[in-house]
Amino acid sequence: MDYNVLDDLRELDILIKKRLFLIGKRNCADKSPSPLQVKIFRYLYLNKDKEVSQADLVNELRVSKVAISEAISKMVNNGNIKVVPSMTDHRKNILSYTDQGIKIMNQMVLATNLLNKELIRNIDLNELNTFISVMQQLKKNIKEDDYV
């Protein structure tokens, strides 16, 4: 049997993004972050113990400098993040959350946790472990050839 894994993964990705968007709309009555802003929030969250600069975001998120700059500008104007001088390199500016940004990030973490629970609902633990193993192997297969 010939499987088209890409179509299934693409469809799942679209469904997950739609669901997260709906959860975000429900929980964030004010301005919901754009998909790129969500990636920036997530990157800052995962690297909260490090100094993160605009250049770091360009390199790690693989998005143009212009797109990152525009997203950061909007996030600063919305009061979600602030740009402050680096403590280690005074030529560099780093990004950090404002109190409002922390509130939004906490809502995003809750939404992600909620969606994760929805995704694994009614799935046997053995099936879930098999799925995780297959996903890890798919990622390994892609990384081996280093197309990116």
Side-chain angles (χ1 to χ4, degrees), residues 95-128:
L95 307 169
S96 65
Y97 289 119
T98 61
D99 289 341
Q100 180 178 324
I102 291 170
K103 179 181 170 187
I104 291 172
M105 187 63 230
N106 288 337
Q107 290 173 337
M108 290 170 54
V109 169
L110 289 173
T112 302
N113 290 340
L114 175 67
L115 180 56
N116 191 60
K117 287 178 183 176
E118 285 181 32
L119 282 169
I120 62 175
R121 181 183 64 225
N122 298 325
I123 298 177
D124 178 75
L125 185 59
N126 291 329
E127 290 175 331
L128 186 58

Side-chain angles (χ1 to χ4, degrees), residues 4 12 16 19 23 43 118 133:
N4 191 335
L12 182 60
I16 288 170
R19 189 70 170 143
I23 292 170
Y43 187 82
E118 285 181 32
S133 295

Side-chain angles (χ1 to χ4, degrees), residues 55-146:
D56 296 328
L57 293 173
V58 170
N59 293 332
E60 294 297 321
L61 300 181
R62 297 181 181 172
V63 178
S64 74
K65 186 176 179 179
V66 172
I68 292 290
S69 181
E70 288 175 359
I72 289 171
S73 179
K74 287 179 185 174
M75 293 173 80
V76 168
N77 289 339
N78 289 340
N80 298 330
I81 62 172
K82 57 187 172 186
V83 180
V84 295
S86 168
M87 298 295 257
T88 58
D89 183 351
H90 296 292
R91 299 167 295 168
K92 188 164 96 171
N93 288 323
I94 61 167
L95 307 169
S96 65
Y97 289 119
T98 61
D99 289 341
Q100 180 178 324
I102 291 170
K103 179 181 170 187
I104 291 172
M105 187 63 230
N106 288 337
Q107 290 173 337
M108 290 170 54
V109 169
L110 289 173
T112 302
N113 290 340
L114 175 67
L115 180 56
N116 191 60
K117 287 178 183 176
E118 285 181 32
L119 282 169
I120 62 175
R121 181 183 64 225
N122 298 325
I123 298 177
D124 178 75
L125 185 59
N126 291 329
E127 290 175 331
L128 186 58
N129 287 332
T130 300
F131 174 76
I132 297 298
S133 295
V134 169
M135 292 297 290
Q136 289 172 343
Q137 185 61 47
L138 289 171
K139 290 189 286 187
K140 183 180 175 186
N141 291 348
I142 291 292
K143 289 178 183 177
E144 281 178 0
D145 292 333
D146 200 25

